[in-house]
Amino acid sequence: YQDTLPGERRRLHAIVAHALEGGADQSIDQLDLPSLLAHHWYEARELDHALAASIDAGDLAARRSAHREALHHLERAVELWHRVPEAQVQARMGLADLLQRATREAYLAGEPGRAVELGRQGLDQLEIHGDPALRARVLDDLSFSLNQLTEEDEAEALELELADMDTAALPAVEQMLVLDARSRLFRFKHGDHAAARAAADEMLAVARTTGDKDLEAQAQLAVGCSLADMQDFDGAIERAGLASELAMRAGD
């Protein structure tokens, strides 16, 4: 490999990528295929194919909770997004969406500093192309990452912006993020436990409309935290048990 010239090396990577896509090697685990394709298309400098493969590999790694690997692929996709012609990029996704997903994976990979960099880029993009649901996700990820870095003033400003968003204009998942931010602010900033409980109960109502056990687990946990603040420890334990059971059923 080291003895090949750069042009020949790129050609060989392209040959391997085409062979992998054609199913030439049946011994390869299909879960490993997106990552292999992302590597070979990138080394072949077939950037449009590399972008698509990097996004696929990042999504698969995220679903498998391989957050550091997902971050690697999604950051590669961000790099490629700027180098692929606009018409081809539009067939994939917007840059702000890609940055938000990379932000989340950086946070989950234990790299809040990188998450903050990516999240701020995402907010900049949303100033140009505003999508309320996407903005809610970026605000949530970025505020959690800033808190990890003890940048509490900036984090609180973002949490306030998130909590003030109109839930009626948002899908259920993003409604949950807004209501959760409200519940946390009532708990930690205002000490209004009744209002925090009301926001958590609203989260639970939204989650149940979706039938998503993962969302319901998050809502039950929020209710349990509010009950603990109100000194109802038996109720808090019960809700935590429900949240744990639901999360396990959801595979989270």
PDB file of all heavy atoms in Angstrom, residues 104-118:
ATOM      1  N   ARG A 104     -24.844  16.427  19.508  1.00  0.00           N
ATOM      2  CA  ARG A 104     -25.374  15.436  20.446  1.00  0.00           C
ATOM      3  C   ARG A 104     -24.379  14.298  20.661  1.00  0.00           C
ATOM      4  O   ARG A 104     -24.145  13.852  21.801  1.00  0.00           O
ATOM      5  CB  ARG A 104     -26.710  14.899  19.905  1.00  0.00           C
ATOM      6  CG  ARG A 104     -27.275  13.666  20.621  1.00  0.00           C
ATOM      7  CD  ARG A 104     -27.544  13.903  22.093  1.00  0.00           C
ATOM      8  NE  ARG A 104     -28.459  14.980  22.320  1.00  0.00           N
ATOM      9  CZ  ARG A 104     -29.782  14.845  22.411  1.00  0.00           C
ATOM     10  NH1 ARG A 104     -30.332  13.661  22.277  1.00  0.00           N
ATOM     11  NH2 ARG A 104     -30.543  15.884  22.676  1.00  0.00           N
ATOM     12  N   GLU A 105     -23.753  13.823  19.585  1.00  0.00           N
ATOM     13  CA  GLU A 105     -22.819  12.711  19.724  1.00  0.00           C
ATOM     14  C   GLU A 105     -21.558  13.133  20.461  1.00  0.00           C
ATOM     15  O   GLU A 105     -20.988  12.357  21.223  1.00  0.00           O
ATOM     16  CB  GLU A 105     -22.484  12.133  18.347  1.00  0.00           C
ATOM     17  CG  GLU A 105     -23.657  11.450  17.659  1.00  0.00           C
ATOM     18  CD  GLU A 105     -24.346  10.430  18.546  1.00  0.00           C
ATOM     19  OE1 GLU A 105     -23.656   9.555  19.105  1.00  0.00           O
ATOM     20  OE2 GLU A 105     -25.590  10.510  18.688  1.00  0.00           O
ATOM     21  N   ALA A 106     -21.124  14.379  20.259  1.00  0.00           N
ATOM     22  CA  ALA A 106     -19.955  14.879  20.995  1.00  0.00           C
ATOM     23  C   ALA A 106     -20.257  14.936  22.494  1.00  0.00           C
ATOM     24  O   ALA A 106     -19.430  14.533  23.333  1.00  0.00           O
ATOM     25  CB  ALA A 106     -19.555  16.259  20.478  1.00  0.00           C
ATOM     26  N   TYR A 107     -21.442  15.410  22.836  1.00  0.00           N
ATOM     27  CA  TYR A 107     -21.834  15.465  24.240  1.00  0.00           C
ATOM     28  C   TYR A 107     -21.877  14.067  24.849  1.00  0.00           C
ATOM     29  O   TYR A 107     -21.348  13.815  25.932  1.00  0.00           O
ATOM     30  CB  TYR A 107     -23.197  16.150  24.365  1.00  0.00           C
ATOM     31  CG  TYR A 107     -23.760  16.131  25.768  1.00  0.00           C
ATOM     32  CD1 TYR A 107     -23.277  16.985  26.753  1.00  0.00           C
ATOM     33  CD2 TYR A 107     -24.767  15.228  26.118  1.00  0.00           C
ATOM     34  CE1 TYR A 107     -23.776  16.956  28.037  1.00  0.00           C
ATOM     35  CE2 TYR A 107     -25.281  15.194  27.408  1.00  0.00           C
ATOM     36  CZ  TYR A 107     -24.778  16.062  28.360  1.00  0.00           C
ATOM     37  OH  TYR A 107     -25.269  16.018  29.642  1.00  0.00           O
ATOM     38  N   LEU A 108     -22.500  13.132  24.123  1.00  0.00           N
ATOM     39  CA  LEU A 108     -22.625  11.762  24.635  1.00  0.00           C
ATOM     40  C   LEU A 108     -21.285  11.028  24.654  1.00  0.00           C
ATOM     41  O   LEU A 108     -21.108  10.080  25.419  1.00  0.00           O
ATOM     42  CB  LEU A 108     -23.637  10.984  23.789  1.00  0.00           C
ATOM     43  CG  LEU A 108     -25.085  11.467  23.890  1.00  0.00           C
ATOM     44  CD1 LEU A 108     -25.963  10.743  22.881  1.00  0.00           C
ATOM     45  CD2 LEU A 108     -25.621  11.277  25.299  1.00  0.00           C
ATOM     46  N   ALA A 109     -20.345  11.479  23.824  1.00  0.00           N
ATOM     47  CA  ALA A 109     -19.009  10.874  23.818  1.00  0.00           C
ATOM     48  C   ALA A 109     -18.118  11.455  24.914  1.00  0.00           C
ATOM     49  O   ALA A 109     -16.954  11.072  25.030  1.00  0.00           O
ATOM     50  CB  ALA A 109     -18.346  11.078  22.450  1.00  0.00           C
ATOM     51  N   GLY A 110     -18.665  12.366  25.710  1.00  0.00           N
ATOM     52  CA  GLY A 110     -17.876  12.953  26.796  1.00  0.00           C
ATOM     53  C   GLY A 110     -16.930  14.046  26.323  1.00  0.00           C
ATOM     54  O   GLY A 110     -15.891  14.271  26.941  1.00  0.00           O
ATOM     55  N   GLU A 111     -17.298  14.735  25.241  1.00  0.00           N
ATOM     56  CA  GLU A 111     -16.480  15.831  24.729  1.00  0.00           C
ATOM     57  C   GLU A 111     -17.317  17.110  24.658  1.00  0.00           C
ATOM     58  O   GLU A 111     -17.677  17.589  23.572  1.00  0.00           O
ATOM     59  CB  GLU A 111     -15.924  15.476  23.345  1.00  0.00           C
ATOM     60  CG  GLU A 111     -14.976  14.289  23.366  1.00  0.00           C
ATOM     61  CD  GLU A 111     -14.190  14.142  22.069  1.00  0.00           C
ATOM     62  OE1 GLU A 111     -13.986  15.163  21.374  1.00  0.00           O
ATOM     63  OE2 GLU A 111     -13.795  13.014  21.754  1.00  0.00           O
ATOM     64  N   PRO A 112     -17.657  17.680  25.825  1.00  0.00           N
ATOM     65  CA  PRO A 112     -18.530  18.866  25.826  1.00  0.00           C
ATOM     66  C   PRO A 112     -17.913  20.065  25.121  1.00  0.00           C
ATOM     67  O   PRO A 112     -18.643  20.879  24.538  1.00  0.00           O
ATOM     68  CB  PRO A 112     -18.755  19.144  27.316  1.00  0.00           C
ATOM     69  CG  PRO A 112     -17.600  18.481  28.006  1.00  0.00           C
ATOM     70  CD  PRO A 112     -17.275  17.277  27.194  1.00  0.00           C
ATOM     71  N   GLY A 113     -16.590  20.201  25.158  1.00  0.00           N
ATOM     72  CA  GLY A 113     -15.952  21.318  24.466  1.00  0.00           C
ATOM     73  C   GLY A 113     -16.201  21.257  22.970  1.00  0.00           C
ATOM     74  O   GLY A 113     -16.533  22.273  22.334  1.00  0.00           O
ATOM     75  N   ARG A 114     -16.050  20.070  22.408  1.00  0.00           N
ATOM     76  CA  ARG A 114     -16.316  19.906  20.976  1.00  0.00           C
ATOM     77  C   ARG A 114     -17.803  20.082  20.697  1.00  0.00           C
ATOM     78  O   ARG A 114     -18.185  20.651  19.671  1.00  0.00           O
ATOM     79  CB  ARG A 114     -15.867  18.508  20.533  1.00  0.00           C
ATOM     80  CG  ARG A 114     -15.895  18.299  19.038  1.00  0.00           C
ATOM     81  CD  ARG A 114     -14.873  19.167  18.330  1.00  0.00           C
ATOM     82  NE  ARG A 114     -15.027  19.138  16.891  1.00  0.00           N
ATOM     83  CZ  ARG A 114     -15.207  20.211  16.128  1.00  0.00           C
ATOM     84  NH1 ARG A 114     -15.244  21.425  16.679  1.00  0.00           N
ATOM     85  NH2 ARG A 114     -15.322  20.101  14.834  1.00  0.00           N
ATOM     86  N   ALA A 115     -18.650  19.616  21.615  1.00  0.00           N
ATOM     87  CA  ALA A 115     -20.096  19.785  21.446  1.00  0.00           C
ATOM     88  C   ALA A 115     -20.471  21.260  21.389  1.00  0.00           C
ATOM     89  O   ALA A 115     -21.315  21.672  20.588  1.00  0.00           O
ATOM     90  CB  ALA A 115     -20.840  19.091  22.587  1.00  0.00           C
ATOM     91  N   VAL A 116     -19.835  22.060  22.231  1.00  0.00           N
ATOM     92  CA  VAL A 116     -20.122  23.502  22.237  1.00  0.00           C
ATOM     93  C   VAL A 116     -19.706  24.141  20.908  1.00  0.00           C
ATOM     94  O   VAL A 116     -20.438  24.949  20.334  1.00  0.00           O
ATOM     95  CB  VAL A 116     -19.415  24.188  23.422  1.00  0.00           C
ATOM     96  CG1 VAL A 116     -19.410  25.704  23.264  1.00  0.00           C
ATOM     97  CG2 VAL A 116     -20.101  23.798  24.734  1.00  0.00           C
ATOM     98  N   GLU A 117     -18.542  23.771  20.397  1.00  0.00           N
ATOM     99  CA  GLU A 117     -18.096  24.318  19.106  1.00  0.00           C
ATOM    100  C   GLU A 117     -19.097  23.980  18.006  1.00  0.00           C
ATOM    101  O   GLU A 117     -19.484  24.845  17.206  1.00  0.00           O
ATOM    102  CB  GLU A 117     -16.721  23.756  18.744  1.00  0.00           C
ATOM    103  CG  GLU A 117     -15.584  24.215  19.646  1.00  0.00           C
ATOM    104  CD  GLU A 117     -14.277  23.536  19.271  1.00  0.00           C
ATOM    105  OE1 GLU A 117     -14.136  23.125  18.100  1.00  0.00           O
ATOM    106  OE2 GLU A 117     -13.394  23.421  20.140  1.00  0.00           O
ATOM    107  N   LEU A 118     -19.501  22.729  17.944  1.00  0.00           N
ATOM    108  CA  LEU A 118     -20.435  22.290  16.904  1.00  0.00           C
ATOM    109  C   LEU A 118     -21.814  22.919  17.102  1.00  0.00           C
ATOM    110  O   LEU A 118     -22.471  23.332  16.138  1.00  0.00           O
ATOM    111  CB  LEU A 118     -20.542  20.771  16.911  1.00  0.00           C
ATOM    112  CG  LEU A 118     -19.286  20.010  16.471  1.00  0.00           C
ATOM    113  CD1 LEU A 118     -19.336  18.564  16.953  1.00  0.00           C
ATOM    114  CD2 LEU A 118     -19.136  20.059  14.950  1.00  0.00           C
TER     115      LEU A 118
END
